[in-house]
Amino acid sequence: MSLNDIKTRIAAAESAAGREPGSVTLIAVSKVQPPERVEAVLESGHRIYGENYVQEAQRKWPAWRARYPDCSVHMIGPLQSNKAKQAVELFDAIHSLDRISLARKLAHQMAEQGRSPQLFIQVNTGDEPQKAGILADELPGFIAACREMGLNPYGLMCIPPESQDSTPHFRLLRRLAKENGLTGLSMGMSADFESAIAEGATHVRVGSAIFGARDYS
Ligand SMILES: *Cc1c(COP(=O)(O)O)cnc(C)c1O
């Protein structure tokens, strides 16, 4: 298990960037991983996990939460509006708020359930037509609309285009957060979390570098 290696690399990247030790939150992305791999990381004391699919999280996490009550589970994958209820029940943070219809459903469910998961708005920093996320130009209007609904977004999230250097995307996300008065920056995955930390990431989402490759077969 390479959780400790990743923690060491995060600490080194924090230090290299002149950032406070511990200022970056590591989300261990446990989607699709065999339960024994996740249990090994739970046993070692790590408590913050990321999932992409509501149904998978519903299947896995109630039992783990019963054994490790101080766990938090972050939704990092695309969220269908008809899963808003379950998402608000299950998750401590949602990183994929990417459209008004979803914001409305989440606002309704949060009021109904009296729960307030931390919210990150997903930004389509590469302007990719097939990718989810709010376009940079539309972000101020989207944030204003969220605030009018009573939502209080905590930060921004991005998934840079696969074939490009991530750094300009991380920089753009940081600038957008600053311009819009948001604190959280969810950026960086197994391949690029160190450059994300250099650019100010508050949350990195690391899966395969901790757990090994995912087997989708
Ligand atoms: C799967 C996933 C990750 C983790 O990816 P790795 O390359 O395995 O670290 C991070 N963020 C999102 C949004 C994901 O879907």
Side-chain angles (χ1 to χ4, degrees), residues 29 31 52 76-77 157 159 189-191 205-209 214 216:
V29 178
K31 67 176 179 207
N52 274 54
I76 63 170
M157 177 271 226
I159 308 171
M189 313 187 358
S190 290
R205 310 178 307 265
V206 181
S208 43
R214 286 178 291 275
Y216 287 95

Side-chain angles (χ1 to χ4, degrees), residues 27-76:
I27 302 171
V29 178
S30 47
K31 67 176 179 207
V32 188
Q33 296 288 352
E36 58 279 10
R37 289 190 194 167
V38 183
E39 280 168 17
V41 174
L42 279 162
E43 276 302 314
S44 79
H46 192 73
R47 290 292 176 264
I48 305 167
Y49 294 84
E51 291 286 342
N52 274 54
Y53 312 99
V54 170
Q55 274 171 331
E56 183 187 346
Q58 269 179 320
R59 233 183 8 252
K60 301 189 317 193
W61 280 98
W64 282 335
R65 277 187 192 281
R67 280 164 58 197
Y68 307 95
D70 51 343
C71 274
S72 63
V73 186
H74 292 224
M75 174 59 170
I76 63 170

Side-chain angles (χ1 to χ4, degrees), residues 38-192:
V38 183
E39 280 168 17
V41 174
L42 279 162
E43 276 302 314
S44 79
H46 192 73
R47 290 292 176 264
I48 305 167
Y49 294 84
E51 291 286 342
N52 274 54
Y53 312 99
V54 170
Q55 274 171 331
E56 183 187 346
Q58 269 179 320
R59 233 183 8 252
K60 301 189 317 193
W61 280 98
W64 282 335
R65 277 187 192 281
R67 280 164 58 197
Y68 307 95
D70 51 343
C71 274
S72 63
V73 186
H74 292 224
M75 174 59 170
I76 63 170
L79 183 54
Q80 291 170 267
S81 297
N82 64 8
K83 300 267 166 59
K85 178 170 186 280
Q86 292 94 319
V88 171
E89 284 165 3
L90 266 169
F91 298 113
D92 303 284
I94 295 171
H95 293 236
S96 45
L97 173 53
D98 63 355
R99 56 195 193 280
I100 289 286
S101 57
L102 179 60
R104 271 200 206 98
K105 291 261 162 63
L106 290 174
H108 175 73
Q109 285 301 327
M110 286 164 64
E112 192 96 329
Q113 299 181 33
R115 280 182 53 86
S116 13
Q118 205 171 44
L119 298 176
F120 292 79
I121 297 168
Q122 185 170 350
V123 180
N124 185 352
T125 56
D127 246 323
E128 295 173 282
Q130 83 291 359
K131 196 168 268 177
I134 303 293
L135 298 175
D137 286 351
E138 294 168 1
L139 187 62
F142 184 76
I143 293 171
C146 287
R147 288 177 176 150
E148 261 168 50
M149 286 175 213
L151 295 177
N152 182 22
Y154 175 72
L156 302 178
M157 177 271 226
C158 74
I159 308 171
E162 257 175 56
S163 56
Q164 292 178 23
D165 177 11
S166 301
T167 296
H169 297 275
F170 296 155
R171 253 175 223 167
L172 171 61
L173 202 69
R174 178 186 210 166
R175 177 168 67 73
L176 292 170
K178 185 157 187 255
E179 286 171 359
N180 289 283
L182 301 178
T183 311
L185 281 172
S186 168
M187 57 191 199
M189 313 187 358
S190 290
D192 55 13

